[in-house]
Coordinates of all heavy atoms in Angstrom, one line a residue:
M1 N 25.0 -66.3 -3.5 CA 24.7 -65.2 -4.4 C 24.4 -64.0 -3.6 O 23.6 -64.0 -2.7 CB 23.5 -65.6 -5.3 CG 23.7 -66.3 -6.5 SD 23.7 -65.2 -7.9 CE 24.2 -66.4 -9.1
G2 N 24.9 -62.8 -4.1 CA 24.7 -61.6 -3.4 C 23.5 -60.8 -4.1 O 22.7 -61.4 -4.8
A3 N 23.5 -59.6 -3.9 CA 22.4 -58.7 -4.5 C 22.6 -58.6 -6.0 O 23.6 -58.4 -6.5 CB 22.5 -57.3 -3.9
G4 N 21.5 -58.9 -6.7 CA 21.5 -58.8 -8.2 C 22.3 -59.8 -8.9 O 22.8 -59.5 -10.0
G5 N 22.6 -60.9 -8.3 CA 23.4 -61.9 -9.0 C 24.9 -61.7 -8.9 O 25.7 -62.4 -9.5
I6 N 25.4 -60.8 -8.1 CA 26.8 -60.6 -7.9 C 27.2 -61.2 -6.5 O 26.6 -60.9 -5.5 CB 27.1 -59.1 -7.9 CG1 26.7 -58.4 -9.2 CG2 28.6 -58.8 -7.6 CD1 26.9 -56.9 -9.3
S7 N 28.2 -62.0 -6.6 CA 28.6 -62.7 -5.4 C 29.6 -61.8 -4.6 O 30.0 -60.8 -5.0 CB 29.3 -64.0 -5.7 OG 30.6 -63.7 -6.3
I8 N 29.9 -62.2 -3.3 CA 30.8 -61.5 -2.5 C 32.2 -61.4 -3.1 O 32.8 -60.3 -3.0 CB 30.8 -62.1 -1.1 CG1 29.5 -61.9 -0.3 CG2 32.0 -61.6 -0.3 CD1 29.3 -60.5 0.2
W9 N 32.6 -62.4 -3.7 CA 34.0 -62.4 -4.3 C 34.1 -61.4 -5.4 O 35.1 -60.8 -5.6 CB 34.3 -63.8 -4.8 CG 34.5 -64.8 -3.6 CD1 33.7 -65.8 -3.3 CD2 35.5 -64.7 -2.6 NE1 34.1 -66.4 -2.2 CE2 35.3 -65.8 -1.7 CE3 36.6 -63.9 -2.4 CZ2 36.1 -66.0 -0.6 CZ3 37.4 -64.2 -1.3 CH2 37.1 -65.2 -0.4
Q10 N 33.0 -61.3 -6.2 CA 33.0 -60.3 -7.3 C 33.1 -58.9 -6.7 O 33.8 -58.0 -7.3 CB 31.8 -60.5 -8.2 CG 31.9 -61.8 -9.0 CD 30.6 -62.2 -9.7 OE1 29.5 -61.7 -9.3 NE2 30.7 -63.0 -10.8
L11 N 32.3 -58.7 -5.7 CA 32.3 -57.3 -5.1 C 33.7 -57.0 -4.5 O 34.2 -55.9 -4.6 CB 31.3 -57.3 -4.0 CG 29.8 -57.2 -4.4 CD1 28.9 -57.3 -3.2 CD2 29.5 -56.0 -5.2
L12 N 34.4 -58.0 -3.9 CA 35.7 -57.8 -3.3 C 36.7 -57.5 -4.4 O 37.6 -56.6 -4.2 CB 36.1 -59.0 -2.5 CG 35.4 -59.2 -1.1 CD1 35.9 -60.5 -0.5 CD2 35.7 -58.0 -0.2
I13 N 36.6 -58.2 -5.5 CA 37.5 -57.9 -6.6 C 37.3 -56.5 -7.2 O 38.3 -55.8 -7.4 CB 37.3 -59.0 -7.7 CG1 37.8 -60.3 -7.2 CG2 38.1 -58.6 -9.0 CD1 37.5 -61.5 -8.1
I14 N 36.1 -56.1 -7.3 CA 35.8 -54.7 -7.7 C 36.3 -53.7 -6.8 O 36.9 -52.7 -7.1 CB 34.2 -54.5 -8.0 CG1 33.8 -55.4 -9.2 CG2 33.9 -53.1 -8.2 CD1 32.3 -55.5 -9.3
L15 N 36.2 -53.9 -5.5 CA 36.7 -53.1 -4.4 C 38.2 -52.9 -4.5 O 38.7 -51.8 -4.4 CB 36.3 -53.5 -3.0 CG 36.8 -52.7 -1.9 CD1 36.2 -51.3 -1.9 CD2 36.5 -53.5 -0.6
V16 N 38.9 -54.0 -4.7 CA 40.4 -54.0 -4.8 C 40.8 -53.2 -6.1 O 41.7 -52.4 -6.0 CB 40.9 -55.4 -4.9 CG1 42.4 -55.4 -5.3 CG2 40.8 -56.1 -3.5
I17 N 40.1 -53.4 -7.2 CA 40.4 -52.6 -8.4 C 40.2 -51.1 -8.2 O 41.0 -50.3 -8.6 CB 39.6 -53.2 -9.6 CG1 40.1 -54.6 -10.0 CG2 39.7 -52.3 -10.8 CD1 39.2 -55.3 -11.0
V18 N 39.1 -50.8 -7.5 CA 38.8 -49.4 -7.3 C 39.9 -48.8 -6.4 O 40.4 -47.7 -6.6 CB 37.4 -49.2 -6.7 CG1 37.2 -47.8 -6.1 CG2 36.4 -49.5 -7.7
L19 N 40.3 -49.5 -5.3 CA 41.4 -49.1 -4.5 C 42.7 -48.9 -5.2 O 43.4 -47.9 -5.0 CB 41.6 -50.0 -3.3 CG 40.5 -49.9 -2.2 CD1 40.8 -51.1 -1.2 CD2 40.6 -48.6 -1.5
L20 N 43.0 -49.8 -6.1 CA 44.2 -49.6 -6.9 C 44.2 -48.5 -7.8 O 45.2 -47.8 -8.0 CB 44.5 -50.9 -7.7 CG 44.9 -52.1 -6.8 CD1 45.0 -53.4 -7.7 CD2 46.2 -51.9 -6.1
L21 N 43.0 -48.2 -8.4 CA 42.9 -47.1 -9.4 C 42.9 -45.7 -8.7 O 43.6 -44.8 -9.2 CB 41.6 -47.2 -10.2 CG 41.6 -48.3 -11.2 CD1 40.2 -48.4 -11.9 CD2 42.6 -48.1 -12.3
F22 N 42.2 -45.6 -7.6 CA 42.0 -44.3 -7.0 C 42.9 -44.0 -5.8 O 43.2 -42.9 -5.5 CB 40.5 -44.0 -6.6 CG 39.6 -44.0 -7.8 CD1 38.7 -45.0 -8.1 CD2 39.7 -42.9 -8.7 CE1 37.9 -44.9 -9.2 CE2 38.8 -42.8 -9.8 CZ 37.9 -43.8 -10.0
G23 N 43.2 -45.1 -5.1 CA 44.0 -44.9 -3.8 C 43.1 -44.5 -2.7 O 42.0 -44.0 -2.8
T24 N 43.6 -44.8 -1.5 CA 42.8 -44.6 -0.3 C 42.6 -43.1 0.0 O 41.5 -42.7 0.5 CB 43.5 -45.2 0.9 OG1 44.8 -44.7 1.1 CG2 43.5 -46.7 0.8
K25 N 43.6 -42.2 -0.2 CA 43.4 -40.8 0.1 C 42.3 -40.2 -0.8 O 41.5 -39.4 -0.3 CB 44.7 -40.1 -0.1 CG 45.8 -40.4 0.9 CD 47.0 -39.6 0.7 CE 48.1 -40.0 1.7 NZ 49.3 -39.2 1.5
R26 N 42.4 -40.5 -2.1 CA 41.4 -40.0 -3.0 C 40.0 -40.5 -2.6 O 39.0 -39.7 -2.7 CB 41.7 -40.3 -4.4 CG 40.9 -39.6 -5.4 CD 41.4 -39.9 -6.8 NE 41.5 -38.7 -7.6 CZ 41.8 -38.7 -8.9 NH1 42.0 -39.9 -9.5 NH2 41.9 -37.6 -9.5
L27 N 39.8 -41.8 -2.3 CA 38.5 -42.3 -1.9 C 38.0 -41.7 -0.6 O 36.8 -41.4 -0.5 CB 38.6 -43.8 -1.8 CG 38.7 -44.6 -3.1 CD1 38.8 -46.1 -2.7 CD2 37.5 -44.4 -3.9
K28 N 39.0 -41.4 0.3 CA 38.6 -40.7 1.5 C 38.0 -39.3 1.3 O 37.0 -38.9 1.8 CB 39.8 -40.7 2.5 CG 39.4 -40.0 3.8 CD 40.6 -40.0 4.7 CE 40.3 -39.3 6.0 NZ 41.4 -39.3 6.9
S29 N 38.7 -38.6 0.4 CA 38.2 -37.2 0.1 C 36.9 -37.3 -0.7 O 36.0 -36.4 -0.5 CB 39.3 -36.5 -0.7 OG 39.4 -37.0 -2.0
I30 N 36.7 -38.3 -1.6 CA 35.5 -38.4 -2.3 C 34.3 -38.7 -1.3 O 33.2 -38.1 -1.4 CB 35.5 -39.5 -3.4 CG1 36.4 -39.0 -4.5 CG2 34.2 -39.9 -3.9 CD1 36.8 -40.1 -5.5
G31 N 34.6 -39.6 -0.3 CA 33.6 -39.9 0.7 C 33.3 -38.7 1.5 O 32.1 -38.4 1.9
S32 N 34.3 -37.9 1.9 CA 34.1 -36.7 2.7 C 33.2 -35.7 1.9 O 32.3 -35.1 2.5 CB 35.4 -36.1 3.1 OG 35.3 -34.9 3.7
D33 N 33.6 -35.5 0.6 CA 32.8 -34.6 -0.2 C 31.4 -35.0 -0.3 O 30.4 -34.2 -0.3 CB 33.4 -34.4 -1.6 CG 34.8 -33.7 -1.5 OD1 35.1 -33.0 -0.5 OD2 35.5 -33.8 -2.5
L34 N 31.2 -36.3 -0.5 CA 29.8 -36.8 -0.6 C 29.0 -36.6 0.7 O 27.8 -36.3 0.7 CB 29.8 -38.3 -1.0 CG 28.5 -39.0 -1.2 CD1 27.8 -38.3 -2.4 CD2 28.7 -40.5 -1.5
G35 N 29.7 -36.9 1.8 CA 29.0 -36.6 3.1 C 28.6 -35.2 3.3 O 27.6 -34.9 3.8
N36 N 29.5 -34.3 2.9 CA 29.2 -32.8 3.0 C 28.0 -32.5 2.1 O 27.2 -31.6 2.5 CB 30.4 -32.0 2.7 CG 31.5 -32.0 3.8 OD1 31.1 -32.3 5.0 ND2 32.7 -31.8 3.5
A37 N 28.0 -33.1 1.0 CA 26.9 -32.8 0.0 C 25.5 -33.3 0.6 O 24.5 -32.6 0.5 CB 27.1 -33.4 -1.3
V38 N 25.5 -34.4 1.2 CA 24.3 -35.0 1.8 C 23.9 -34.1 3.0 O 22.7 -33.8 3.2 CB 24.5 -36.4 2.3 CG1 23.4 -36.9 3.2 CG2 24.7 -37.3 1.1
K39 N 24.9 -33.6 3.8 CA 24.6 -32.7 5.0 C 24.0 -31.4 4.5 O 23.0 -30.9 5.0 CB 25.8 -32.5 5.8 CG 25.6 -31.8 7.1 CD 26.9 -31.5 7.8 CE 27.6 -32.7 8.2 NZ 28.8 -32.5 9.0
G40 N 24.5 -30.9 3.4 CA 24.0 -29.6 2.8 C 22.6 -29.8 2.3 O 21.7 -28.9 2.4
F41 N 22.4 -31.0 1.7 CA 21.0 -31.3 1.1 C 20.0 -31.4 2.3 O 18.9 -30.8 2.2 CB 21.1 -32.6 0.3 CG 19.7 -33.0 -0.2 CD1 19.2 -32.3 -1.3 CD2 19.0 -34.0 0.4 CE1 17.9 -32.7 -1.8 CE2 17.8 -34.4 -0.1 CZ 17.3 -33.8 -1.2
R42 N 20.4 -32.0 3.3 CA 19.4 -32.2 4.5 C 19.1 -30.8 5.1 O 18.0 -30.5 5.5 CB 20.0 -33.1 5.5 CG 20.0 -34.5 5.2 CD 20.5 -35.4 6.3 NE 20.4 -36.8 5.9 CZ 20.9 -37.8 6.6 NH1 21.5 -37.5 7.7 NH2 20.8 -39.0 6.2
S43 N 20.2 -30.0 5.2 CA 19.9 -28.6 5.8 C 19.0 -27.8 4.9 O 18.2 -27.0 5.4 CB 21.2 -27.9 6.2 OG 21.9 -27.6 5.0
A44 N 19.2 -27.9 3.6 CA 18.4 -27.2 2.6 C 16.9 -27.7 2.7 O 16.0 -26.9 2.6 CB 18.9 -27.3 1.2
M45 N 16.7 -29.0 2.8 CA 15.4 -29.5 3.0 C 14.7 -29.0 4.3 O 13.5 -28.7 4.3 CB 15.4 -31.0 2.9 CG 15.8 -31.6 1.5 SD 14.7 -31.1 0.2 CE 13.2 -32.0 0.7
S46 N 15.5 -29.0 5.3 CA 15.0 -28.5 6.6 C 14.6 -27.0 6.5 O 13.5 -26.6 7.0 CB 16.0 -28.6 7.7 OG 15.6 -28.1 8.9
E47 N 15.4 -26.2 5.8 CA 15.0 -24.8 5.6 C 13.8 -24.7 4.7 O 13.0 -23.8 5.0 CB 16.2 -24.1 4.9 CG 17.3 -23.8 5.9 CD 18.5 -23.0 5.2 OE1 18.2 -22.3 4.2 OE2 19.6 -23.1 5.7
A48 N 13.6 -25.5 3.7 CA 12.5 -25.5 2.9 C 11.2 -25.8 3.7 O 10.2 -25.2 3.5 CB 12.6 -26.4 1.7
E49 N 11.3 -26.8 4.5 CA 10.1 -27.1 5.4 C 9.8 -26.0 6.3 O 8.7 -25.7 6.6 CB 10.4 -28.4 6.2 CG 10.4 -29.7 5.3 CD 10.7 -30.9 6.2 OE1 10.9 -30.8 7.4 OE2 10.8 -32.0 5.6
K50 N 10.8 -25.3 6.8 CA 10.6 -24.2 7.7 C 10.0 -23.1 7.0 O 9.1 -22.4 7.6 CB 12.0 -23.8 8.3 CG 11.9 -22.6 9.3 CD 13.2 -22.3 9.9 CE 13.8 -21.2 9.1 NZ 15.1 -20.6 9.7
D51 N 10.4 -22.8 5.8 CA 9.8 -21.7 5.0 C 8.3 -22.0 4.7 O 7.5 -21.1 4.7 CB 10.6 -21.5 3.7 CG 11.9 -20.9 4.0 OD1 12.1 -20.3 5.1 OD2 12.8 -20.9 3.1
E52 N 8.0 -23.3 4.4 CA 6.6 -23.7 4.0 C 5.7 -23.5 5.3 O 4.6 -23.0 5.2 CB 6.6 -25.1 3.5 CG 7.1 -25.2 2.1 CD 7.1 -26.7 1.6 OE1 6.6 -27.6 2.4 OE2 7.5 -27.0 0.5
D53 N 6.2 -24.0 6.4 CA 5.3 -24.1 7.6 C 5.4 -22.7 8.4 O 4.5 -22.4 9.1 CB 5.8 -25.2 8.5 CG 5.6 -26.5 7.9 OD1 4.9 -26.6 6.9 OD2 6.2 -27.5 8.4
G54 N 6.4 -22.0 8.2 CA 6.6 -20.8 9.0 C 7.2 -21.1 10.3 O 7.3 -20.2 11.2
T55 N 7.6 -22.4 10.6 CA 8.2 -22.7 11.9 C 9.4 -23.5 11.6 O 9.6 -24.1 10.5 CB 7.2 -23.6 12.7 OG1 6.9 -24.8 12.0 CG2 6.0 -22.8 13.1
D56 N 10.3 -23.6 12.6 CA 11.5 -24.4 12.5 C 11.2 -25.8 13.0 O 10.8 -25.9 14.2 CB 12.6 -23.7 13.3 CG 14.0 -24.4 13.1 OD1 14.0 -25.4 12.3 OD2 14.9 -23.9 13.7
P57 N 11.3 -26.8 12.2 CA 11.0 -28.2 12.7 C 11.8 -28.6 13.9 O 11.4 -29.4 14.7 CB 11.2 -29.1 11.5 CG 11.9 -28.3 10.5 CD 11.8 -26.8 10.8
K58 N 13.0 -28.1 14.0 CA 13.9 -28.5 15.1 C 13.5 -27.8 16.4 O 13.8 -28.3 17.5 CB 15.3 -28.1 14.8 CG 15.9 -28.9 13.7 CD 17.3 -28.4 13.4 CE 17.9 -29.1 12.2 NZ 19.2 -28.6 11.8
Q59 N 12.7 -26.7 16.4 CA 12.4 -26.0 17.6 C 10.9 -26.2 18.0 O 10.5 -25.5 19.0 CB 12.7 -24.5 17.4 CG 14.2 -24.2 17.3 CD 14.4 -22.8 17.2 OE1 13.6 -22.0 17.1 NE2 15.7 -22.4 17.2
I60 N 10.2 -27.1 17.4 CA 8.8 -27.3 17.8 C 8.8 -28.0 19.2 O 9.6 -28.9 19.4 CB 8.1 -28.1 16.7 CG1 8.0 -27.3 15.5 CG2 6.7 -28.6 17.2 CD1 7.3 -28.0 14.3
D61 N 8.0 -27.6 20.0 CA 7.8 -28.2 21.4 C 9.1 -28.0 22.2 O 9.3 -28.7 23.1 CB 7.5 -29.7 21.3 CG 6.1 -29.9 20.7 OD1 5.3 -29.0 20.7 OD2 5.9 -31.0 20.1
R62 N 9.9 -27.0 21.9 CA 11.0 -26.6 22.8 C 10.7 -25.4 23.6 O 10.0 -24.5 23.2 CB 12.2 -26.2 21.9 CG 13.1 -27.3 21.5 CD 14.3 -26.7 20.9 NE 15.3 -27.7 20.7 CZ 16.5 -27.5 20.1 NH1 16.7 -26.3 19.6 NH2 17.4 -28.4 20.0
P63 N 11.1 -25.4 24.9 CA 10.9 -24.2 25.7 C 11.7 -23.0 25.1 O 12.8 -23.2 24.5 CB 11.4 -24.6 27.1 CG 12.3 -25.7 26.8 CD 11.8 -26.4 25.6
A64 N 11.2 -21.8 25.4 CA 11.9 -20.6 24.9 C 13.2 -20.5 25.7 O 13.3 -20.8 26.8 CB 11.1 -19.4 25.1
E65 N 14.3 -20.0 25.0 CA 15.6 -19.8 25.6 C 15.9 -18.4 25.5 O 15.7 -17.7 24.5 CB 16.6 -20.6 24.8 CG 16.4 -22.1 24.9 CD 17.4 -22.9 24.1 OE1 18.3 -22.3 23.5 OE2 17.3 -24.1 24.0
K66 N 16.6 -17.9 26.6 CA 17.0 -16.5 26.6 C 18.2 -16.3 25.8 O 19.2 -17.0 25.9 CB 17.2 -16.1 28.1 CG 17.5 -14.6 28.2 CD 17.3 -14.1 29.6 CE 18.6 -14.3 30.4 NZ 18.6 -13.6 31.7
R67 N 18.1 -15.3 24.9 CA 19.3 -15.0 24.0 C 20.3 -14.2 24.8 O 20.0 -13.5 25.8 CB 18.8 -14.2 22.8 CG 17.8 -15.0 21.9 CD 17.4 -14.2 20.8 NE 16.4 -14.9 20.1 CZ 15.3 -14.3 19.5 NH1 15.2 -13.0 19.5 NH2 14.4 -15.0 18.8
A68 N 21.5 -14.2 24.3 CA 22.6 -13.4 24.9 C 22.3 -11.9 24.8 O 21.9 -11.4 23.7 CB 23.9 -13.7 24.2
G69 N 22.5 -11.2 25.8 CA 22.2 -9.8 25.9 C 20.8 -9.4 26.0 O 20.4 -8.2 26.0
E70 N 19.9 -10.3 26.2 CA 18.5 -10.0 26.4 C 18.2 -10.0 27.9 O 18.5 -10.9 28.7 CB 17.7 -11.2 25.7 CG 16.2 -10.9 25.7 CD 15.5 -12.0 24.9 OE1 15.9 -13.2 25.0 OE2 14.5 -11.7 24.2
D71 N 17.6 -8.9 28.3 CA 17.2 -8.8 29.7 C 16.0 -9.6 30.1 O 15.3 -10.1 29.2 CB 17.1 -7.3 30.2 CG 15.9 -6.6 29.4 OD1 15.4 -7.2 28.5 OD2 15.6 -5.5 29.8
D72 N 15.7 -9.8 31.4 CA 14.6 -10.6 31.8 C 13.3 -10.1 31.4 O 12.4 -10.9 31.1 CB 14.7 -10.8 33.3 CG 15.9 -11.6 33.8 OD1 16.3 -12.5 33.0 OD2 16.3 -11.4 34.9
A73 N 13.1 -8.8 31.4 CA 11.7 -8.3 31.0 C 11.4 -8.5 29.5 O 10.3 -9.0 29.2 CB 11.7 -6.8 31.3
S74 N 12.4 -8.3 28.7 CA 12.1 -8.6 27.3 C 12.0 -10.0 27.0 O 11.3 -10.5 26.1 CB 13.2 -7.9 26.4 OG 14.4 -8.5 26.6
F75 N 12.8 -10.9 27.7 CA 12.7 -12.3 27.6 C 11.3 -12.8 27.9 O 10.7 -13.6 27.2 CB 13.7 -13.0 28.4 CG 13.5 -14.5 28.4 CD1 13.8 -15.3 27.3 CD2 13.1 -15.2 29.6 CE1 13.6 -16.7 27.3 CE2 12.9 -16.5 29.6 CZ 13.2 -17.3 28.5
A76 N 10.7 -12.3 29.0 CA 9.4 -12.7 29.5 C 8.3 -12.3 28.5 O 7.4 -13.1 28.2 CB 9.1 -12.1 30.8
K77 N 8.5 -11.1 27.9 CA 7.6 -10.6 26.9 C 7.6 -11.5 25.6 O 6.6 -11.9 25.1 CB 7.9 -9.2 26.6 CG 6.9 -8.6 25.6 CD 7.3 -7.1 25.3 CE 6.4 -6.5 24.2 NZ 6.8 -5.2 23.9
T78 N 8.8 -11.8 25.1 CA 8.9 -12.5 23.9 C 8.5 -14.0 24.1 O 7.9 -14.6 23.2 CB 10.3 -12.5 23.3 OG1 11.3 -12.9 24.3 CG2 10.7 -11.1 22.8
S79 N 8.8 -14.6 25.3 CA 8.4 -15.9 25.5 C 6.9 -16.1 25.6 O 6.3 -17.0 25.2 CB 9.1 -16.5 26.7 OG 8.7 -15.8 27.9
T80 N 6.3 -15.0 26.1 CA 4.8 -15.0 26.2 C 4.2 -14.9 24.8 O 3.3 -15.6 24.5 CB 4.3 -13.8 27.1 OG1 4.9 -13.9 28.4 CG2 2.8 -13.9 27.2
L81 N 4.8 -14.0 24.0 CA 4.3 -13.9 22.6 C 4.5 -15.2 21.8 O 3.7 -15.6 21.1 CB 5.1 -12.7 21.9 CG 4.8 -11.3 22.4 CD1 5.7 -10.3 21.8 CD2 3.3 -11.0 22.2
R82 N 5.6 -15.9 22.1 CA 5.9 -17.1 21.3 C 4.8 -18.2 21.7 O 4.4 -18.9 20.9 CB 7.3 -17.6 21.6 CG 8.4 -16.8 21.0 CD 9.7 -17.3 21.3 NE 10.7 -16.4 20.9 CZ 11.9 -16.3 21.5 NH1 12.2 -17.0 22.6 NH2 12.8 -15.4 21.1
S83 N 4.5 -18.2 23.0 CA 3.5 -19.3 23.5 C 2.1 -18.9 22.9 O 1.3 -19.8 22.7 CB 3.5 -19.4 25.0 OG 3.1 -18.2 25.6
E84 N 1.8 -17.6 22.8 CA 0.5 -17.3 22.3 C 0.4 -17.6 20.8 O -0.7 -17.9 20.3 CB 0.3 -15.8 22.5 CG 0.0 -15.4 23.9 CD -0.1 -13.9 24.2 OE1 0.1 -13.2 23.2 OE2 -0.3 -13.5 25.3
D85 N 1.5 -17.5 20.0 CA 1.5 -17.8 18.6 C 1.2 -19.3 18.3 O 0.7 -19.6 17.3 CB 2.9 -17.5 18.0 CG 3.1 -15.9 17.9 OD1 2.1 -15.2 18.0 OD2 4.3 -15.5 17.7
K86 N 1.6 -20.2 19.2 CA 1.4 -21.6 19.0 C -0.1 -22.0 19.2 O -0.5 -23.0 18.7 CB 2.2 -22.4 20.0 CG 3.7 -22.3 19.7 CD 4.5 -23.2 20.7 CE 6.0 -23.1 20.4 NZ 6.7 -23.9 21.3
T87 N -0.9 -21.2 19.9 CA -2.3 -21.5 20.2 C -3.2 -21.0 19.1 O -2.9 -20.3 18.2 CB -2.8 -21.0 21.5 OG1 -2.6 -19.6 21.6 CG2 -2.0 -21.7 22.6

């Protein structure tokens, strides 16, 4: 017996029927769309947490990185300011 009283054979029969009805290309595109939706949901949740806390959860405890086009003097100033904001 499988989950919820459904055996493996019943699940396989259902899978074969779904494959016959929709085809592999359509199921692949549905899976891809579902994956993109989950990825978008996760990024939206990450942005919501960032907005609530005022910090980016992915960049906590990361050293400061120099941006493109930023000279050393301004980089030193901004990295010092960033470290002072954490304390």
Side-chain angles (χ1 to χ4, degrees):
M1 275 262 173
I6 299 175
S7 70
I8 289 290
W9 293 110
Q10 292 170 337
L11 289 175
L12 287 174
I13 292 170
I14 292 171
L15 178 65
V16 168
I17 291 171
V18 167
L19 282 173
L20 289 174
L21 287 175
F22 294 110
T24 56
K25 289 182 182 178
R26 191 176 226 186
L27 287 178
K28 183 179 178 182
S29 68
I30 290 172
S32 175
D33 291 343
L34 183 63
N36 287 334
V38 169
K39 189 183 297 184
F41 177 76
R42 285 184 181 173
S43 67
M45 292 299 293
S46 175
E47 285 181 24
E49 288 178 5
K50 182 175 93 172
D51 290 343
E52 286 178 3
D53 298 341
T55 59
D56 187 0
K58 294 178 184 174
Q59 293 184 354
I60 294 176
D61 297 334
R62 271 189 168 177
E65 298 174 2
K66 188 163 83 169
R67 296 181 188 145
E70 188 175 35
D71 61 351
D72 291 332
S74 63
F75 172 71
K77 181 180 177 183
T78 57
S79 64
T80 304
L81 292 174
R82 288 179 191 149
S83 65
E84 289 174 358
D85 288 342
K86 290 182 182 179
T87 57

